[in-house]
Amino acid sequence: MIRSLYTAASGMNAQQLNMDVIANNLSNVNTNGFKRGQASFQDLMYQTSRAAGSSTGSGDLKAPTGLEVGLGVRAVGVDRIHSQGDQKQGNGLDMVIEGNGFFKIQLPNGQSGYTRDGSFKQDSQGRMVTADGYVLQPEITIPAGAKDVSISQDGTVTVSNSDGTQTSPGKITIANFPNPAGLASLGRNLLGVTPASGQEAVGDAGADGRGTIRQGMLEMSNVKVVEEMVNMITAQRAYEVNSKSIQASDEMLQIANGLRR
């Protein structure tokens, strides 16, 4: 009887984590380039009283099924779903990656971060930076007095100068990974490399499976509110039914404790 109490408790803990992931998805429904998370679970070990195929004690007869009782569930990970988010109108330096890949960012500690948030701005030196001032890599500097900035699908940046000439301050590249789901969340719309993600493969947009760049648009979060609300209801009911299992086990223990000779 005590076994069922701990088994149901593991289910409640799992659904609490599930609700935490759903709450984070909903809180980032308006975060540019955000990718929703999805908790995954697996069952725990089983207590086997009789293995399938064991002798029944009646000659050569074998048990067709075993006698196994599971001991609950545990969370094994939170998967990041890298489906494409919807797009919305942005400013001149805003960009969307249509397809696979990430923008590469230089962090203050000298390491690299990666993002799908294409809302770039200019700093005091004319460099393209994120909202936190982190510099886009490779570094693109817009000359002072530039009248217009054009970014092609392959990442080539073209600037129209005040004297009517055109120059190219550089080319925006895209970083791709063997396993994007293995990237670590760093906050501030940034991801970091891990042994699970594999090493970056940086190259031109539109080449070798990388997405193309679209200027003047922003990628929105891929969180679907209705889908998350349905997941929330499912998690809530699963949490409730596990609590009912604990309540039923407690009542059965109470009955057993009340027995008299």
Side-chain angles (χ1 to χ4, degrees):
M1 192 65 65
I2 300 298
R3 181 172 53 196
S4 61
L5 294 174
Y6 289 104
T7 299
S10 72
M12 294 180 70
N13 288 331
Q15 293 307 320
Q16 180 61 64
L17 175 66
N18 193 17
M19 186 64 74
D20 292 340
V21 174
I22 294 171
N24 184 61
N25 290 341
L26 290 172
S27 66
N28 284 282
V29 68
N30 290 321
T31 301
N32 293 332
F34 178 79
K35 301 304 178 185
R36 62 180 291 266
Q38 179 176 287
S40 57
F41 307 94
Q42 64 180 202
D43 53 350
L44 292 176
M45 63 183 298
Y46 286 77
Q47 186 172 354
T48 303
S49 300
R50 185 186 67 196
S54 60
S55 175
T56 62
S58 302
D60 295 331
L61 297 180
K62 305 294 183 182
T65 59
L67 181 55
E68 300 176 335
V69 179
L71 300 179
V73 63
R74 69 169 181 173
V76 292
V78 178
D79 302 325
R80 188 181 297 107
I81 309 302
H82 282 276
S83 59
Q84 186 87 33
D86 295 334
Q87 299 180 15
K88 65 179 179 180
Q89 190 72 34
N91 298 317
L93 293 181
D94 292 338
M95 293 176 285
V96 163
I97 299 176
E98 294 183 316
N100 300 323
F102 302 86
F103 297 110
K104 186 175 180 179
I105 306 298
Q106 181 75 42
L107 301 180
N109 60 6
Q111 297 181 349
S112 297
Y114 305 87
T115 184
R116 294 280 298 191
D117 181 4
S119 55
F120 293 102
K121 300 168 177 55
Q122 286 181 253
D123 65 2
S124 59
Q125 303 176 44
R127 299 176 301 178
M128 294 182 65
V129 297
T130 67
D132 292 306
Y134 302 156
V135 181
L136 174 67
Q137 297 295 309
E139 188 174 305
I140 303 293
T141 301
I142 308 300
K147 297 176 60 178
D148 184 55
V149 179
S150 175
I151 304 173
S152 65
Q153 288 189 336
D154 67 353
T156 302
V157 181
T158 304
V159 175
S160 298
N161 302 305
S162 56
D163 59 2
T165 62
Q166 289 187 334
T167 57
S168 177
K171 190 173 187 178
I172 298 170
T173 57
I174 300 297
N176 213 350
F177 294 88
N179 177 31
L183 293 168
S185 299
L186 305 179
R188 301 178 183 270
N189 286 0
L190 295 172
L191 302 171
V193 176
T194 70
S197 67
Q199 293 301 309
E200 65 174 18
V202 180
D204 294 342
D208 299 325
R210 301 179 189 89
T212 57
I213 293 176
R214 184 178 182 187
Q215 183 185 10
M217 302 294 290
L218 280 174
E219 182 180 8
M220 300 169 64
S221 168
N222 67 350
V223 174
K224 305 299 182 184
V225 175
V226 173
E227 182 178 343
E228 296 301 325
M229 293 301 294
V230 171
N231 292 338
M232 182 185 298
I233 293 172
T234 303
Q236 182 181 4
R237 294 308 179 195
Y239 189 91
E240 180 182 359
V241 76
N242 276 284
S243 69
K244 293 292 186 182
S245 297
I246 293 178
Q247 182 179 358
S249 297
D250 177 59
E251 292 175 353
M252 294 170 72
L253 283 173
Q254 185 177 7
I255 294 172
N257 288 337
L259 290 177
R260 295 183 180 179
R261 291 190 298 173

